[in-house]
Amino acid sequence: MQPEQAPSRSLPLAGATNFRDLGGYTGHDGRPVKWRRIFRSDHLAGLTAQDQALLAQLGVARAVDFRGKAESAAYAYALPGVAYHPLAIEPTVVQRALELQRTGHRITAQDAVGLMQETYRGFVHDNAPRFTELFSLLLASDTPTVFHCTAGKDRTGFAAALILLALGVPRDVVMHDYLLTNSLYQRPAGMASHAPEEVLAVLWRVQQEFLDAALHGVDHDYGGVQAYLQDVLGVDAAAQKHLAGLYLQPLPR
């Protein structure tokens, strides 16, 4: 017998380039993450009728939107049969870059990396309530869910890392999933900016140093992922066991 082929991780949507499945990675006790339950994406305002039909076919019935208020207002969407959950995390990188520019400083790629690392440290410290809400939704039922921000790389990337780590996926695999954005996400045309291209190349992509900055904050300030999940996000051992029951394949009998 031929081994069963795994579903495709990246889904071919016309209106989103970074829509992908978190399934298939090996978690606790060697149990793989179930396919077609948890999806991560860039924003969904550009989905075509065909894209929406594919989401319906996949059973996607919850969308979690991490975009800030102005972002979600500028590119609003409503998908038939999909419950919308706004968990706003306001973007700070552009604001900080503009503040630097106002002081007469010419922003370099190195500055941009520093700004991104600062942003990721902010996710850990300042935005924990949003990630608590995300886990509450995931724990309520295993209804197929997509979570996203604008590009589906930073706020979404940290959220995906937390989910996979909570399910026991090793860090190197989590980092691999995080970096897939660089081969999938297409920067929208017409996103002109006064910043040099070398800076934009940092801001519109992901680097290991970004997620590492967040995970270092988790380790250094909270004593590791387990302590952060339990003490900060309220995802204790019982909740993690329930999460595994919902989103990991059962052990073979």
Side-chain angles (χ1 to χ4, degrees):
M1 274 178 65
Q2 289 286 332
E4 195 178 329
Q5 195 173 0
S8 57
R9 181 164 307 287
S10 172
L11 285 125
L13 301 180
T17 60
N18 204 9
F19 191 105
R20 58 193 204 257
D21 195 323
L22 290 185
Y25 296 123
T26 303
H28 292 302
D29 304 318
R31 297 158 63 193
V33 179
K34 290 178 182 174
W35 288 98
R36 302 312 191 232
R37 289 290 192 286
I38 311 177
F39 301 92
R40 52 174 294 177
S41 184
D42 44 339
H43 78 77
L44 306 176
L47 296 189
T48 64
Q50 265 184 316
D51 293 339
Q52 291 184 30
L54 178 57
L55 261 61
Q57 196 183 320
L58 293 167
V60 174
R62 291 187 298 208
V64 175
D65 186 353
F66 289 124
R67 293 177 299 168
K69 286 177 182 170
E71 292 171 282
S72 54
Y75 294 97
Y77 68 88
L79 301 174
V82 178
Y84 179 71
H85 299 274
L87 301 182
I89 296 174
E90 295 299 335
T92 56
V93 173
V94 173
Q95 185 186 337
R96 286 173 180 154
L98 288 171
E99 283 165 7
L100 267 180
Q101 280 184 322
R102 280 191 207 107
T103 66
H105 181 87
R106 185 182 178 277
I107 298 174
T108 64
Q110 194 176 352
D111 292 328
V113 169
L115 289 170
M116 293 301 291
Q117 289 176 304
E118 198 181 323
T119 294
Y120 275 69
R121 286 189 281 266
F123 296 156
V124 175
H125 296 284
D126 306 332
N127 302 122
R130 294 312 192 204
F131 301 116
T132 298
E133 291 178 73
L134 172 67
F135 276 105
S136 295
L137 280 168
L138 293 176
L139 286 160
S141 77
D142 67 348
T143 300
T145 299
V146 56
F147 59 95
H148 71 90
C149 49
T150 291
K153 67 185 192 71
D154 301 315
R155 293 161 285 192
T156 297
F158 183 59
L162 287 176
I163 293 166
L164 293 174
L165 290 167
L167 290 170
V169 177
R171 278 200 191 196
D172 60 333
V173 179
V174 171
M175 184 63 75
H176 165 79
D177 178 79
Y178 170 75
L179 293 172
L180 284 177
T181 282
N182 289 338
S183 56
L184 294 171
Y185 180 62
Q186 292 169 27
R187 194 162 105 199
M191 283 288 182
S193 168
H194 299 305
E197 180 54 37
E198 60 164 19
V199 170
L200 295 176
V202 172
L203 299 180
W204 285 99
R205 290 172 66 79
V206 290
Q207 294 184 21
Q208 182 169 332
E209 291 88 340
F210 304 167
L211 185 56
D212 275 345
L215 295 179
H216 178 73
V218 167
D219 292 340
H220 184 267
D221 301 339
Y222 298 100
V225 170
Q226 275 305 316
Y228 183 74
L229 286 168
Q230 184 161 315
D231 301 340
V232 182
L233 303 186
V235 185
D236 60 14
Q240 288 180 52
K241 189 176 179 183
H242 183 52
L243 195 76
L246 290 172
Y247 297 106
L248 294 181
Q249 296 285 359
L251 284 167
R253 296 191 173 191

